[in-house]
Structures are given as structure tokens and as C-alpha cells.
Amino acid sequence: EKVMTQSPATLTVSSGERATLSCRASQNVNSNLAWYQQKPGQAPRLLIYGASTRATGIPARFSGSGSGTEFTLTISSLQSEDFAVYYCQQYNDWPLTFGGGTKVEIK
Amino acid sequence: EVQLVESGGGLVEPGGSLRLSCSVSGFTVSSNYMSWVRQAPGKGLEWVSVVYSGGGPYYADSVKGRFTISRDNSENTLSLQMNSLRPEDTAVYYCARGPHSSSWKGFDYWGQGTLVTVSS
């Protein structure tokens, strides 16, 4: 099983600032990596797939990069609606696995 | 409009069974990979199972041998039969399309979730 490790667990930033979230895979997952945003009481929302492709309707301030074992989600200028928990997930192999999440909170 | 609506959650005693359903509109389950993902209270996401044409199904080790995923193409629904339930199965269960639809892209549509509580 591929273990996905996200860091930091909590990221405290101000509105308008840049946020950088990391995700590391225990083994190569190529570019088969997705990022999700989840707000309290809501289902997750797909942000990024293929490590760097924005899903339909996702604003350009969200960008993804990386391949292999190291991945990054960048939010270029945080808006109030971006404060949430973010998860990475690999779909290179079964079982599919998620990272533990990064909570982005307001400074 | 795409909609996934789960039902069937509730309170069940350890060792008991429960069957979850997910009614889908806006696309056909038979043409897509369909998965269940769960989230224990206050915890992260855990993939549970997937069903698709031409392969699978696959299960997380934590549920293998106890849970069975299936789909009804005529009703366009996805189901999860859960047997021998344990307290650690307590979670919100989401049905989701993916990780493949027109391409490999993760889970692009999700239901609102149904809560399963396993407790005596």
C-alpha cells in the first residue's frame, strides 16, 4: 500500500497570502495524484487531477505540481472561501490512498 | 445535472449488517468506475471499495471479506452491503464517481454522505 503523507498538518495564513501544501508518496505514483478541498459538513470537492490539471470550475489561483513521490498544491492568493481541509490522493494503484489532510486556517 | 444521493445509514450494533444505496442521476453507473469512500468522525478520508466493468471489484484491507460492493444498472444505483460491522466502521459513507470516468482523474462527483454508527 502506498502511504501518502501531507505536511504541514495545519497551515495558518492570512487572506491574500500564498499557501503551499505538500504531499509525499511512499512509492512512485507517477502523475496519478489528485487534490481535494473539504469544508465542514460538506463532501470533498475535486480541485486537481493528474497532479497539475485543474478540475472543471476550479479557479486559476489553485495550481498543482510534482510527479513521482513529491507533490505540491499552491493557492496563490487565499480567499476567505479557501479556508478548509485539503487532501491528496493517489490513484496509481489499488488500494487507493489519501493523505491525512492539511487544514488551512485563518491567521 | 449530476446527483448522487446516498441512503441506508443508521445505528447498528457490533456484528450487525447494513446496506447502503446510492441513487445516481446525470450519468450511467455502468459506464463509470464507482467507489465508496468513508470518513470517521473528525478524521480523514478512507477509500473503501470500487466497482467497474471489465475488472475489480477492489476493497480496502480493512473491509475485505465483510463488505460487498455492487451496482444495479437498470436502477442506476450503487450499493454497499456491510456485514460483521465493527465500531471502527463508524463513519460518513460517500459514494463517488471515480477514479476513472472519461479519464483517470480521481473522484469528480460525490454524494452528500450517509452516517453509519456502530455501537451497542
Side-chain angles (χ1 to χ4, degrees):
Chain A
E1 172 178 317
K2 290 179 170 59
V3 177
M4 308 302 292
T5 303
Q6 291 186 243
S7 62
T10 304
L11 187 60
T12 305
V13 295
S14 301
S15 290
E17 287 189 342
R18 182 186 193 92
T20 303
L21 288 67
S22 295
C23 174
R24 172 175 292 178
S26 61
Q27 301 171 63
N28 180 25
V29 298
N30 298 297
S31 293
N32 296 313
L33 190 286
W35 289 93
Y36 302 87
Q37 177 193 68
Q38 188 179 34
K39 297 179 181 179
Q42 296 185 15
R45 176 174 71 145
L46 178 66
L47 298 175
I48 301 285
Y49 63 92
S52 61
T53 302
R54 278 189 301 277
T56 303
I58 301 303
R61 63 181 181 272
F62 291 92
S63 63
S65 63
S67 67
T69 62
E70 299 284 343
F71 301 89
T72 300
L73 174 70
T74 302
I75 312 171
S76 59
S77 177
L78 273 159
Q79 306 299 302
S80 57
E81 61 265 31
D82 300 335
F83 293 97
V85 179
Y86 293 82
Y87 294 95
C88 63
Q89 178 237 333
Q90 68 82 18
Y91 49 90
N92 194 72
D93 297 284
W94 312 108
L96 309 183
T97 47
F98 289 88
T102 291
K103 181 178 182 180
V104 177
E105 60 179 29
I106 302 172
K107 190 173 188 178
Chain B
E1 181 191 9
V2 172
Q3 276 196 315
L4 294 80
V5 180
E6 301 94 338
S7 59
L11 175 64
V12 61
E13 292 186 347
S17 298
L18 210 55
R19 187 178 181 86
L20 306 183
S21 293
C22 175
S23 179
V24 176
S25 57
F27 66 88
T28 56
V29 297
S30 61
S31 302
N32 290 274
Y33 286 54
M34 295 296 300
S35 292
W36 289 97
V37 176
R38 69 183 180 182
Q39 186 169 36
K43 302 298 184 182
L45 301 168
E46 180 187 18
W47 171 79
V48 172
S49 183
V50 66
V51 64
Y52 61 98
S53 298
Y58 293 102
Y59 299 92
D61 286 347
S62 57
V63 307
K64 201 174 294 182
R66 300 188 297 123
F67 289 13
T68 302
I69 191 171
S70 62
R71 62 188 182 188
D72 185 328
N73 295 338
S74 64
E75 296 290 328
N76 211 36
T77 58
L78 177 72
S79 295
L80 187 69
Q81 177 66 41
M82 304 186 295
N83 299 330
S84 303
L85 283 161
R86 305 166 179 168
E88 55 265 35
D89 295 319
T90 294
V92 173
Y93 285 73
Y94 296 100
C95 68
R97 187 174 80 169
H100 183 282
S101 49
S102 55
S103 62
W104 290 95
K105 59 171 59 173
F107 301 116
D108 58 354
Y109 289 103
W110 297 68
Q112 85 288 351
T114 187
L115 176 62
V116 172
T117 303
V118 184
S119 175
S120 54

